[in-house]
């Protein structure tokens, strides 16, 4: 039953996402479920199974990515967090923890011998919650939501005994305490037993039980559930009265909040790991579920300097406990062909329960991985899954001396073209290119996908069907579908409204975002971020081709114009050159530009004296590392570049500055020292 093509899987995932969202809404918001809980669970399981099998098809709106259900569909009120609720970066072994500690030292320019105190505490598996106190009184409780906007659960937390309604004298006027709402293992077991008796919904694990219990429209339901809370930090605060994480947590504890019994401070990685191992040993005996240990830089001034990358702070790390493993039989190895022609082997397993989820498929990555594991159909294998990570084979238990290895195909299973690995590459690719239907339809799917042009209404099935009819040969054809309105309408399953919606969605993208469009073309090495970096600097989509062509022809200025962009290296320049060297691609490009008119690409700039400017740092910086300086520049809306050119606006030169300083002087570029830079940063706040 899992012998699906990629297009079929994408289609089914889309239907599952919609169905699950609908049943969530019926269950949570309208209290009027249409299907039994078993049927609902089957949908969720099927979704997880398909996602494990086709990890690259996991949807933005996948039910597996949601905590319960979406905030937008929530019956609870919305709360915008004054200070964003962050997520944490993960480490899975000692090396990654050491690397993190070393990165902190480098960022802060600290000597080897200077100790950096780190707190460690166990990470409870619950639901993050932010509690806002004003003048000592609890005024609002909110879930994390997406980190920026959560749900209002103020009446729901009123009955959680661990959460004080009032704080003692002397706490900051505005103070947000953050922590996890959770359910103990014993309470979870008892709740499920009671639910079963009453014919109610069973919860998969204590975390789901806590989330489902807290996020109730009717707070009296929450009141009956045995929820607990413990604090791990704080959000907005009118004043931060301590200088360290540890002291702040002790203050929060004195306010009446439970904190982790394992909270400690240490200043060596050895001590941190020893503590991690100790917690791991006691984990089975704890009455609550934990999934790792969280480390935080203790000094708050260091935390402020370290700041954030994307959604996670640089100063904190979650060290996860090892993944759960299980043994099963590898029944078959199937080969899937992706958008770039890559042949991906997928292992079909005898179903096995790992960490509470039934796993039937694993990715085997590539030919090398199959060789490394020496796996063949029929082998006994050990698989593991950790958190949200796709299940993988970690060991092969069948070790016979004499046997033929699995024969990796040398022909594309979709189109029969030769499949080869280029020199130095591990991936085997179909060489069929444009004659390979798997590649062509998937390129079109990529083009309309959410991260690219984001055109609604194009399921994989629709694309495959239009492609088979010859209506969709290249991206530009999407814009010509309006001439086929009657033909589309004549197909089974289409009505006036659905056709009009599709055509309107297409028309809506006549002036598309240039970076999304560039990403949507699927040029090698040009991912989402690279496409944005390119457009931020080149501004006009039409200019990309001429620069790439000039660079390929040996024009050094053109190449330098691209490589001087932060994040753009020679491989991107080469890939762009190769793309536009292919006559077919140029035809597709011209055809597409004839259909669309993307506006000039501009980035919003922050209001600071260096916003929108290009800053270069050179020479030795005394009070900060180069990375910290660059991060400051980016925070102020400036672009930190590695080399001086006519486009440089400001050079920050420390002692020992050499050729860059000379070049900047020749070009008449404003030059300041580190103290001057620090002043700009301080004034911009
Ligand atoms: Zn092929």
């Amino acid at each position: 039953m899992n012998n699906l093509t990629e297009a079929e899987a994408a289609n089914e995932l889309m239907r599952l996402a919609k169905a699950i969202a609908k049943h969530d809404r019926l269950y949570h918001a309208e209290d009027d479920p249409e299907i039994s809980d078993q049927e609902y669970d089957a949908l969720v399981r099927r979704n997880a199974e398909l996602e494990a099998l086709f990890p690259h098809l996991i949807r933005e709106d996948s039910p597996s990515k949601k905590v319960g259900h979406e905030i937008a569909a929530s019956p609870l009120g919305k709360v915008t967090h004054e200070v964003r609720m962050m997520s944490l970066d993960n480490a899975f072994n000692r090396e990654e923890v050491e690397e993190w500690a070393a990165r902190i030292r480098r960022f802060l320019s600290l000597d080897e011998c200077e100790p950096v105190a780190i707190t460690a505490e166990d990470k409870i598996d619950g639901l993050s919650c932010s509690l806002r106190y004003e003048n000592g009184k609890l005024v609002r409780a909110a879930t994390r939501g997406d980190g920026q906007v959560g749900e209002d659960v103020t009446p729901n937390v009123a009955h959680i005994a661990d959460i004080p309604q009032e704080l003692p004298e002397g706490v900051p006027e505005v103070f947000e305490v953050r922590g996890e709402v959770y359910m103990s293992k014993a309470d979870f077991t008892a709740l499920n037993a009671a639910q079963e008796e009453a014919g109610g919904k069973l919860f998969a694990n204590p975390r789901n039980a806590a989330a489902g219990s807290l996020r109730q429209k009717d707070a009296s339901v929450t009141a009956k559930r045995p929820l607990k809370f413990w604090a791990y930090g704080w959000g907005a605060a009118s004043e931060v009265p301590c200088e360290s994480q540890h002291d702040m947590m002790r203050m929060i504890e004195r306010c009446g909040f439970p904190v982790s019994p394992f909270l400690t401070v240490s200043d060596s990685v050895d001590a941190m790991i020893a503590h991690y191992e100790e917690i791991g040993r006691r984990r089975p005996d704890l009455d609550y579920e934990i999934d790792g240990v969280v480390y935080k830089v203790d000094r708050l001034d260091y935390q402020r300097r370290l700041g954030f990358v994307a959604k996670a702070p640089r100063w904190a790390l979650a060290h996860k406990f090892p993944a759960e493993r299980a043994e099963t039989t590898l029944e078959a190895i199937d080969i899937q062909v992706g958008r770039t022609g890559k042949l991906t082997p997928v292992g079909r397993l005898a179903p096995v329960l790992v960490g509470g989820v039934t796993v039937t498929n694993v990715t085997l990555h590539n030919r090398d991985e199959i060789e490394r594991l020496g796996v063949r159909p029929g082998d006994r294998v050990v698989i593991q899954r950790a958190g949200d990570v796709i299940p993988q084979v970690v060991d092969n238990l069948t070790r016979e001396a004499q046997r033929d290895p699995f024969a990796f195909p040398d022909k594309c299973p979709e189109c029969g073209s030769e499949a080869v690995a280029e020199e130095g590459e591990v991936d085997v690719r179909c060489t069929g290119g444009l004659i390979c239907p798997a590649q062509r339809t998937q390129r079109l799917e990529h083009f309309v996908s959410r991260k690219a042009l984001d055109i609604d209404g194009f399921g994989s099935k629709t694309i495959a069907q239009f492609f088979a009819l010859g209506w969709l040969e290249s991206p530009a054809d999407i814009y010509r579908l309006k001439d086929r309105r009657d033909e589309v309408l004549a197909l089974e399953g289409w009505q006036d409204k659905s056709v009009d919606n599709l055509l309107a969605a297409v028309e809506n993208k006549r002036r598309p975002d240039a970076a999304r469009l560039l990403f949507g073309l699927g040029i090698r090495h040009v991912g989402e971020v690279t496409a944005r970096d390119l457009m931020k600097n080149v501004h006009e989509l039409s200019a990309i081709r001429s620069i790439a062509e000039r660079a390929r022809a040996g024009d050094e200025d053109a190449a330098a114009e691209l490589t001087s962009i932060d994040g753009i290296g020679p491989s991107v320049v080469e890939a762009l050159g190769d793309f536009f060297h292919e006559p077919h691609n140029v035809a597709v490009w011209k055809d597409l530009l004839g259909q669309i008119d993307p506006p000039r690409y501009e980035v919003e700039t922050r209001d600071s004296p260096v916003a929108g400017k290009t800053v270069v740092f050179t020479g030795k910086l005394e009070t900060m590392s180069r990375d910290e300086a660059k991060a400051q520049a980016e925070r102020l809306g400036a672009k930190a570049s590695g080399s001086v050119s006519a486009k440089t606006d400001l050079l920050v030169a420390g002692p020992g500055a050499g050729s860059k300083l000379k070049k900047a002087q020749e070009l008449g570029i404003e030059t300041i020292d580190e103290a001057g830079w620090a002043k700009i940063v301080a004034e911009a706040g």
Side-chain angles (χ1 to χ4, degrees):
M1 99 181 166
N2 281 325
N3 226 343
L4 290 180
T5 68
E6 196 147 324
E8 285 166 344
N11 192 35
E12 189 174 346
L13 282 168
M14 177 184 70
R15 283 192 284 109
L16 284 165
K18 283 190 183 154
I20 292 169
K22 177 182 141 191
H23 294 305
D24 276 344
R25 198 188 65 242
L26 291 172
Y27 186 91
H28 290 284
E30 296 169 22
D31 278 330
D32 185 23
E34 265 178 10
I35 57 172
S36 74
D37 296 332
Q38 287 73 23
E39 286 170 295
Y40 176 86
D41 291 345
L43 293 177
V44 173
R45 265 200 307 276
R46 177 66 181 162
N47 189 71
E49 197 176 290
L50 284 176
E51 290 188 343
L53 182 52
F54 299 94
H56 55 291
L57 296 182
I58 295 177
R59 299 169 59 87
E60 277 292 298
D61 62 351
S62 164
S64 66
K65 287 189 179 175
K66 287 181 206 161
V67 181
H69 53 114
E70 236 167 76
I71 302 301
S74 170
L76 301 164
K78 289 185 196 177
V79 175
T80 301
H81 296 297
E82 189 180 327
V83 174
R84 192 188 172 112
M85 291 186 82
M86 294 289 167
S87 45
L88 295 175
D89 284 334
N90 292 326
F92 295 94
N93 54 46
R94 183 190 178 99
E95 287 68 42
E96 287 170 0
V97 175
E98 282 172 346
E99 215 174 283
W100 172 74
R103 214 157 47 227
I104 284 169
R105 279 178 185 286
R106 278 199 303 276
F107 193 98
L108 297 171
S109 282
L110 297 178
D111 280 341
E112 280 290 325
C113 50
E114 198 165 338
V116 178
I118 307 276
T119 65
E121 65 200 293
D122 48 340
K123 183 171 179 293
I124 208 159
D125 201 12
L127 181 73
S128 285
C129 201
S130 186
L131 308 168
R132 187 178 175 93
Y133 292 84
E134 289 175 7
N135 299 311
K137 291 207 166 43
L138 177 66
V139 294
R140 196 170 306 114
T143 63
R144 175 204 297 276
D146 64 2
Q148 275 167 325
V149 179
E151 297 156 304
D152 190 340
V153 288
T154 314
N156 307 65
V157 304
H159 301 277
I160 300 178
D162 292 334
I163 297 179
Q165 292 292 309
E166 276 183 41
L167 301 185
E169 295 266 307
V171 297
E173 210 175 295
V174 172
F175 194 42
E176 289 180 2
V177 174
R178 289 181 174 177
E180 296 281 302
V181 170
Y182 69 101
M183 194 177 284
S184 74
K185 289 179 190 169
D187 286 338
F188 164 70
T189 310
L191 173 67
N192 257 3
Q195 290 285 104
E196 189 158 18
E197 198 147 300
K201 189 183 161 89
L202 295 190
F203 296 102
N205 52 47
R207 195 202 163 283
N208 284 0
S213 301
L214 180 66
R215 298 170 58 261
Q216 288 281 344
K217 197 176 172 183
D218 179 358
S220 69
V221 176
T222 308
K224 293 185 199 125
R225 302 278 171 82
L227 294 175
K228 295 186 166 160
F229 178 85
W230 91 18
Y232 60 66
W234 63 99
S238 52
E239 144 194 38
V240 177
C242 311
E243 287 175 1
S244 74
Q245 177 78 26
H246 187 256
D247 289 351
M248 276 297 283
M249 290 316 298
R250 292 296 171 222
M251 184 198 98
I252 288 172
E253 192 175 27
R254 284 195 299 276
C255 289
F257 295 93
V259 305
S260 163
F262 291 105
L263 177 66
T264 56
V265 189
S266 60
D267 54 18
S268 77
V269 169
D270 284 341
M272 284 156 62
I273 300 281
H275 194 54
Y276 165 87
E277 285 169 352
E278 169 63 16
I279 294 174
R281 267 192 296 278
R282 295 178 52 181
R283 184 183 180 197
D285 304 324
L286 299 174
D287 190 34
Y288 47 86
E289 297 264 10
I290 58 174
D291 60 359
V293 172
V294 177
Y295 306 128
K296 290 176 181 167
V297 171
D298 195 35
R299 274 175 60 165
L300 299 183
D301 58 335
Y302 282 175
Q303 289 190 5
R304 278 187 286 270
R305 281 174 62 191
L306 286 157
F308 305 90
V309 190
K311 290 181 189 167
R314 281 194 187 84
W315 44 265
L317 185 73
H319 188 180
K320 294 298 188 90
F321 288 121
E324 300 202 53
R325 296 183 169 198
E327 241 184 83
T328 187
T329 303
L330 178 68
E331 294 183 329
I333 297 175
D334 289 349
I335 305 289
Q336 290 173 356
V337 185
R339 169 167 61 86
T340 59
K342 185 185 160 192
L343 271 54
T344 303
V346 174
R348 313 293 181 187
L349 305 171
V352 61
L353 200 67
V354 197
V357 172
T358 305
V359 176
T360 53
N361 302 287
V362 283
T363 174
L364 288 165
H365 302 292
N366 53 43
R367 188 176 58 184
D368 284 13
E369 178 72 357
I370 291 181
E371 273 174 28
R372 188 182 71 77
L373 293 162
V375 284
R376 296 183 319 173
D379 285 356
R380 290 292 289 172
V381 291
V382 178
I383 64 161
Q384 77 168 27
R385 63 183 285 278
D388 296 322
V389 181
I390 307 297
Q392 51 182 323
V393 175
V394 288
D395 197 11
N396 182 4
L397 303 172
T398 311
R399 294 272 184 211
E400 298 158 25
Q402 295 281 321
R403 55 184 212 157
D404 297 326
F406 174 74
F408 202 88
D410 54 4
K411 295 269 192 302
C412 170
E414 297 280 342
C415 72
S417 300
E418 257 186 78
V420 296
E422 278 172 40
E423 211 174 304
E425 294 265 334
V426 292
D427 293 330
V428 176
R429 286 172 202 277
C430 162
T431 55
L434 289 166
I435 68 149
C436 183
Q439 293 185 51
R440 291 183 66 181
T441 51
Q442 284 179 50
R443 281 182 200 181
L444 289 163
E445 283 177 28
H446 174 70
F447 186 77
V448 298
S449 68
R450 192 158 302 206
K451 288 181 173 175
L453 278 224
D454 190 18
I455 303 181
D456 271 345
F458 274 113
S460 328
K461 198 173 151 202
T462 302
I463 288 188
Q465 189 181 22
F466 288 5
F467 178 80
L469 288 164
W471 299 350
L472 275 188
E473 296 279 315
S474 84
D477 288 336
I478 288 167
Y479 293 98
R480 285 189 279 261
L481 280 175
K482 63 177 168 40
D483 304 331
R484 297 190 186 270
R485 189 183 181 281
D486 293 340
E487 287 168 90
V488 177
L489 195 54
L491 296 176
E492 203 188 311
W494 288 90
Q495 282 111 34
D496 278 309
K497 194 169 171 233
S498 53
V499 179
D500 289 341
N501 284 348
L502 178 70
L503 295 179
V506 171
E507 285 312 305
N508 196 18
K509 297 290 154 74
R510 284 274 173 192
R511 286 175 60 74
D513 177 281
R516 283 165 165 269
L517 187 129
L518 190 60
F519 167 65
L521 290 173
I523 300 168
R524 264 189 115 180
H525 301 305
V526 182
E528 261 181 290
V529 175
T530 304
R532 273 203 300 273
D533 287 343
L534 281 165
M535 290 315 308
K536 266 189 230 167
N537 290 275
V538 178
H539 304 296
E540 295 291 347
L541 185 69
S542 54
I544 292 278
R545 180 181 151 211
S546 64
I547 298 177
E549 285 179 340
R550 278 188 284 129
R552 192 177 198 278
D555 179 339
E556 283 177 18
D557 285 345
E561 187 174 343
L562 295 174
T563 51
S564 68
I565 301 171
D566 233 19
I568 307 290
S571 61
V572 174
V573 179
E574 197 184 317
L576 283 169
D578 289 349
F579 179 84
F580 288 110
H581 190 63
E582 177 69 48
H584 171 80
N585 289 336
V586 174
V588 166
W589 174 261
K590 284 183 175 165
D591 192 14
L592 184 58
L593 291 195
Q595 292 290 336
I596 55 162
D597 182 18
R600 185 180 159 82
Y601 194 87
E602 299 284 1
V603 269
E604 291 170 44
T605 48
R606 276 189 46 177
D607 191 22
S608 86
V610 293
K613 294 190 172 174
T614 300
V615 182
V616 175
F617 295 91
T618 187
K620 184 168 166 38
L621 300 177
E622 317 244 290
T623 64
M624 67 188 98
S625 68
R626 192 69 65 83
D627 282 343
E628 183 173 3
K630 282 187 172 183
Q632 286 175 344
E634 275 157 24
R635 241 181 348 249
L636 298 180
K639 194 167 77 71
S641 170
S643 60
V644 173
S645 74
K647 292 192 172 171
T648 308
D649 297 298
L650 181 66
L651 183 80
V652 181
S659 59
K660 285 182 193 170
L661 178 60
K662 192 159 162 269
K663 188 163 180 196
Q665 284 163 344
E666 282 165 13
L667 291 167
I669 290 163
E670 185 187 352
T671 302
I672 57 173
D673 60 11
E674 189 178 343
W677 174 251
K679 199 162 155 248
I680 292 176
V681 174
E683 280 168 6

